[in-house]
Amino acid sequence: MYCLTEEELALRKEIREFTDREILPGATELDASKIYPVELVRKIREAGYPALSFPKELGGQGKSLRSCMIFLEEISRGLASLGLVYTANTMQVCYSLVDAVTEQQKQEWLMPAIQGEKILTLALSEDAGGSDAFAINTYAQWHGDGWILNGSKCWISNAGVADGYIVAARTTPHGRSHDISLFFVDSHTPGVDDSERANLVGMNNDPTSNIFFHDCHLPPKALISNPDVPDSGYHLIKRALNSGRLALSAVAIGLAQGALEDVVSYTKNRSYLGRRISGYQGVSFPIAEMMTNISLARHMLYHTADIYEAGDPASVDIAELKLFSCEMCQSTCTSAAQLHGAIGYDKRVNNERRLRDSLLFTTMEGTSQICKIIISNALYNNPPEMLY
């Protein structure tokens, strides 16, 4: 096992107990309701978990980035939708922007989001862009005393429940990918329409929808820009993509862990012809493979989090992690459902929910194919000694 500190092991135990007590008992019923889990979000905020990996001067707890990964893993073991809520808020927005915002922006929305008092999300993807994150037509034009924002975004997590959106928009018409800036848009800004909700196969408790911006007037302070970094919007988006992929990998591992625990419990107690089915190698061997793959993914997760936190180049490592962990999660949940038999596909049990949720991971935050492009480009464009 990756060498977690005593403090991190204690944190894992604490959040696991929180998940077993507060999340798992009602997870299937909550999933069926398709409502945003307001009460669970409140309890998570009060426990202080969203603030784990942020500096104390910002209201954080000053712990390692691994601590945030443990948090995402454990709550996702109970309900993956919750992991997705905090992938967007805590990692894609807060962790990515913590060094790029002004003091006023810190006070108004970053610190409340770090502490879980506000829920924010990144509004990046557009319908015409597909897997090209920088194919952006949303346009922000300077107009006298502020910006006028027009455009639309699609497949946005936390849409309709977020207190604000970090919106990627061009600031010059027909500009290049480096002419993109980020803006904070309060969800109550006139001209914001986030009422259209997608009806996805899984992740039922994290609202996902299109957002439309029609002549939204934004004050000058809405612009997020690091004056010390040229093309800062471009670089912040790349950081947000890496942060999201790292966090989503933790969610996938947590979801797979939940599926593993369920199938171990089921096969240990289920009998056939007077013999527990866990005694059949056709059952126990696939479970051994699940455990091996989850362990490998978890080792990769903590190692990659350390690299990322240290500020070392990590795009390829994160792409490898995201590819492996998300494919592994889908495979684990599929095998777990099959080993349960017909009950594994019954909507009244956790396994069916986990199977549906797992289907989305290989598409969200960069498809498996995009991850393979990142990895293969690194293989072909770097000297051999740079590849390990």
Side-chain angles (χ1 to χ4, degrees), residues 235-384:
H235 293 289
L236 289 172
I237 290 170
K238 290 187 69 174
R239 181 168 172 79
L241 290 170
N242 277 335
S243 298
R245 289 166 185 164
L246 178 68
L248 193 68
S249 299
V251 176
I253 292 166
L255 179 60
Q257 179 69 33
L260 173 67
E261 291 175 14
D262 272 2
V263 76
V264 167
S265 176
Y266 178 79
T267 56
K268 186 167 60 176
N269 294 293
R270 175 75 169 175
S271 295
Y272 177 71
L273 297 178
R275 179 182 179 186
R276 290 180 180 177
I277 63 172
S278 58
Y280 294 94
Q281 291 179 347
V283 172
S284 62
F285 280 15
I287 291 176
E289 291 173 5
M290 291 181 206
M291 180 62 188
T292 301
N293 287 328
I294 291 171
S295 295
L296 286 170
R298 186 172 287 123
H299 281 275
M300 289 177 70
L301 173 67
Y302 298 155
H303 174 68
T304 305
D306 283 351
I307 294 173
Y308 195 47
E309 186 175 30
D312 296 332
S315 293
V316 177
D317 298 89
I318 289 172
E320 292 171 354
L321 169 67
K322 203 270 181 184
L323 174 64
F324 180 76
S325 61
C326 291
E327 296 279 352
M328 175 278 296
C329 177
Q330 192 174 116
S331 173
T332 296
C333 291
T334 300
S335 294
Q338 291 172 339
L339 290 171
H340 273 82
I343 193 67
Y345 301 90
D346 191 306
K347 289 183 177 293
R348 296 169 295 177
V349 299
N350 285 325
N351 215 84
E352 185 271 346
R353 165 175 55 84
R354 291 192 174 107
L355 177 59
R356 285 187 287 103
D357 287 348
S358 74
L359 298 176
L360 301 175
F361 282 103
T362 55
T363 300
M364 290 188 295
E365 306 303 337
T367 63
S368 291
Q369 290 75 18
I370 287 295
C371 292
K372 291 175 183 178
I373 289 172
I374 294 169
I375 297 163
S376 59
N377 282 347
L379 285 168
Y380 288 116
N381 295 321
N382 288 286

Side-chain angles (χ1 to χ4, degrees), residues 89-109:
N89 176 81
T90 304
M91 288 299 296
Q92 280 196 313
V93 173
C94 296
Y95 195 82
S96 300
L97 301 181
V98 69
D99 296 322
V101 297
T102 65
E103 188 60 36
Q104 184 178 17
Q105 290 168 337
K106 286 179 184 178
Q107 297 294 329
E108 289 187 358
W109 51 263

Side-chain angles (χ1 to χ4, degrees), residues 30 35-42 79 81-82 85 205-207:
L30 185 61
I35 63 172
Y36 177 67
V38 175
E39 186 64 16
L40 287 176
V41 169
R42 179 188 64 80
L79 184 65
S81 294
L82 276 171
V85 169
N205 305 112
D206 178 40

Side-chain angles (χ1 to χ4, degrees), residues 111-165:
M111 289 175 64
I114 285 173
Q115 296 165 44
E117 295 170 2
K118 287 183 180 289
I119 293 295
L120 306 180
T121 195
L122 178 69
L124 176 62
S125 300
E126 298 193 6
D127 188 52
S131 291
D132 183 358
F134 294 98
I136 292 173
N137 293 316
T138 298
Y139 181 43
Q141 183 178 19
W142 180 258
H143 190 271
D145 61 346
W147 300 89
I148 303 296
L149 180 70
N150 283 282
S152 63
K153 300 293 179 177
C154 62
W155 310 118
I156 306 303
S157 297
N158 297 345
V161 298
D163 297 286
Y165 301 107

